[in-house]
Amino acid sequence: VFDPFCGSGTVLLESILNGYQAFGCDINPIAVEIASAKSSVCTVPPYAFEKHISLFRQELLRYQTGTYTNVFPASAIEEIQSWFPEKVICKMGFILTKIKEVPDERIKCFLRVILSSIIRDVSQQEPTDLRIRRRKQPIDDAPVLEMYMEALEKQYGNIMSFYKIRNYAPYRIGCASVWRGNATRADNVRLNLPAGGVDIVITSPPYATALPYIDTNRLNMLVLSGINASMRVPIEAEMTGTREINKSTRVYYEQKIEQQCFDGISSPLAKDIIRKIYEQNLDANVGFRRKNMAALIYMYFRDMSEVLHTMNSAVKSGGHICIVIGDTKTTTGKEKVVIRTTEVLRETAARLGWSLTWDLPISVTVERYLHMNHSITENNILMFKKP
């Protein structure tokens, strides 16, 4: 099983629990770390897991106020100090120092992900807002160790419960391989997959002008990996469905639209949508985000076309491609335009010779965050078969 947009690894985990070999990649480094933790911690022997977690707990109880900033890269310190109180920084640094002392890499990864789950809550970021927004009332401290221990106990309990039933599984647990990578680059993807290809792709790609995944995870990336604001820019730009674009890039793609040059985009509907958005915003009195929209949709459909070609090269003859996708909307200078991604993927798949064997509409739920009123609640599961 291969998931080219693996995110936090749900497909990979379900695959290995059902006895399959799983592969996944994602651009977001925090998502990759979470996916790695999910798919590897269940392979740790129960005795070793219990022993190392017990020793780690004892180490955390020995916390004393001190300076632990040396655990963070120098390039990240200034931004960390901007977003976290000094007392919180010391506590996070202490936890990371103790995690480094754990000998098993799988458990290390698991413990780092536990920390990632509380980072937004102990920062100056407004926790309920997906975008970059500071709290109205700044904090000067937070119960970091207590929150960490609570989160650890919860996940520890889940893992121990899993150990009690794992031997009843009808299949031996499979193994997973996860890497940080861009699914538009077929050659790189194939280097990480079996020589004969995979049996099935199961994935849920980002939507056009996707939610701000990098913004949402920026503090985790900063604390856990030392990825500061300038380092995040190329990661954001590389994302399929990004909503960030500079003026020169926008002008470049607008020239392509005017010249009717749609590199790699084979869907007639995709081209019509791009042209329509561009023409309706061209002379309209709209803000910069709407001005950017035609170029962003061009980039999105180009990337999705490349990803489908990657899937085509990754899947064996007679194999399947399962995609969960939904449409989005944008408002131009004239009207609301539906970005019909589902139909665009159907058209692109047909040009690759895939047959559509299943097309199931589904609804999804969303969490209660600010800005979630623009989220997608209607999706389709598209199942294709490669000839």
Side-chain angles (χ1 to χ4, degrees):
V1 179
F2 172 47
D3 185 351
F5 297 104
C6 74
S8 60
T10 300
V11 167
L12 307 185
L13 179 60
E14 294 298 330
S15 297
I16 66 171
L17 291 180
N18 284 278
Y20 297 105
Q21 189 176 8
F23 301 86
C25 65
D26 202 279
I27 286 173
N28 186 333
I30 294 301
V32 169
E33 186 157 17
I34 295 171
S36 298
K38 276 184 181 179
S39 55
S40 65
V41 71
C42 59
T43 67
V44 179
Y47 170 75
F49 180 76
E50 195 170 7
K51 180 185 76 173
H52 288 306
I53 296 299
S54 177
L55 292 172
F56 179 72
R57 280 200 205 100
Q58 293 173 31
E59 289 297 315
L60 290 191
L61 293 174
R62 296 184 179 132
Y63 173 72
Q64 292 182 343
T65 304
T67 302
Y68 297 95
T69 53
N70 61 336
V71 74
F72 304 106
S75 59
I77 287 295
E78 184 177 350
E79 192 173 346
I80 288 173
Q81 290 173 334
S82 169
W83 282 98
F84 297 91
E86 195 62 35
K87 293 176 183 177
V88 168
I89 295 171
C90 289
K91 293 170 189 175
M92 293 192 301
F94 172 75
I95 293 171
L96 287 170
T97 299
K98 293 304 173 184
I99 290 174
K100 282 187 173 183
E101 296 172 2
V102 176
D104 191 305
E105 290 297 327
R106 296 167 295 181
I107 299 177
K108 260 185 198 173
C109 187
F110 169 76
L111 294 172
R112 282 168 55 85
V113 168
I114 299 295
L115 180 58
S116 79
S117 70
I118 68 166
I119 284 175
R120 280 172 62 89
D121 293 331
V122 300
S123 74
Q124 304 295 4
Q125 164 70 32
E126 171 53 52
T128 61
D129 199 328
L130 290 174
R131 300 192 183 281
I132 300 173
R133 194 183 302 273
R134 291 181 180 270
R135 296 174 187 265
K136 291 180 180 178
Q137 294 294 327
I139 59 173
D140 59 11
D141 196 4
V144 179
L145 291 162
E146 293 83 355
M147 292 171 66
Y148 184 86
M149 288 290 278
E150 183 180 351
L152 174 58
E153 288 306 311
K154 179 180 178 182
Q155 296 306 326
Y156 175 80
N158 290 340
I159 299 298
M160 296 308 293
S161 296
F162 168 74
Y163 284 139
K164 291 178 181 178
I165 62 171
R166 64 183 291 183
N167 290 333
Y168 294 98
Y171 309 104
R172 185 176 179 178
I173 294 174
C175 59
S177 174
V178 191
W179 69 95
R180 184 176 176 271
N182 190 331
T184 63
R185 298 170 186 168
D187 291 345
N188 179 264
V189 168
R190 286 304 308 271
L191 290 174
N192 291 280
L193 297 178
V198 299
D199 299 291
I200 187 169
V201 166
I202 302 175
T203 195
S204 180
Y207 303 106
T209 61
L211 287 169
Y213 298 114
I214 300 302
D215 280 356
T216 306
N217 287 315
R218 77 189 190 287
L219 296 177
N220 304 69
M221 294 163 69
L222 180 66
V223 171
L224 295 179
S225 303
I227 300 175
N228 61 28
S230 62
M231 296 174 185
R232 292 193 297 271
V233 171
I235 297 174
E236 177 72 55
E238 196 180 2
M239 272 192 63
T240 296
T242 183
R243 59 178 69 192
E244 302 302 324
I245 188 173
N246 57 41
K247 184 177 180 181
S248 61
T249 304
R250 187 194 85 197
V251 170
Y252 171 78
Y253 284 107
E254 287 178 345
Q255 289 174 347
K256 281 184 167 289
I257 296 168
E258 290 174 354
Q259 296 163 4
Q260 302 292 310
C261 178
F262 295 93
D263 296 342
I265 302 174
S266 60
S267 162
L269 176 59
K271 297 174 187 178
D272 288 344
I273 292 169
I274 295 165
R275 279 191 293 257
K276 183 175 186 178
I277 294 171
Y278 175 65
E279 290 166 2
Q280 292 190 358
N281 283 336
L282 183 59
D283 297 318
N285 183 23
V286 296
F288 77 96
R289 288 205 177 274
R290 292 188 191 178
K291 282 287 187 186
N292 292 342
M293 191 56 64
L296 290 172
I297 299 301
Y298 185 116
M299 292 165 60
Y300 174 73
F301 283 138
R302 178 208 59 198
D303 285 356
M304 286 303 302
S305 295
E306 290 177 358
V307 172
L308 261 63
H309 278 85
T310 296
M311 295 177 187
N312 194 54
S313 69
V315 175
K316 300 173 183 175
S317 178
H320 290 82
I321 301 95
C322 181
I323 303 174
V324 182
I325 193 66
D327 297 342
T328 52
K329 296 177 183 177
T330 185
T331 301
T332 67
K334 291 185 178 179
E335 61 181 328
K336 283 189 176 180
V337 176
V338 178
I339 302 168
R340 296 167 56 196
T341 306
T342 307
E343 182 57 28
V344 167
L345 294 192
R346 292 190 192 102
E347 288 187 355
T348 307
R351 288 174 177 265
L352 287 168
W354 301 352
S355 55
L356 182 61
T357 61
W358 197 29
D359 191 337
L360 179 68
I362 59 170
S363 61
V364 296
T365 58
V366 296
E367 297 179 71
R368 292 185 176 181
Y369 285 109
L370 296 177
H371 304 295
M372 289 300 280
N373 56 315
H374 300 300
S375 62
I376 310 306
T377 57
E378 298 296 328
N379 287 277
N380 280 63
I381 300 176
L382 304 176
M383 178 75 83
F384 301 100
K385 184 174 182 180
K386 179 182 172 181

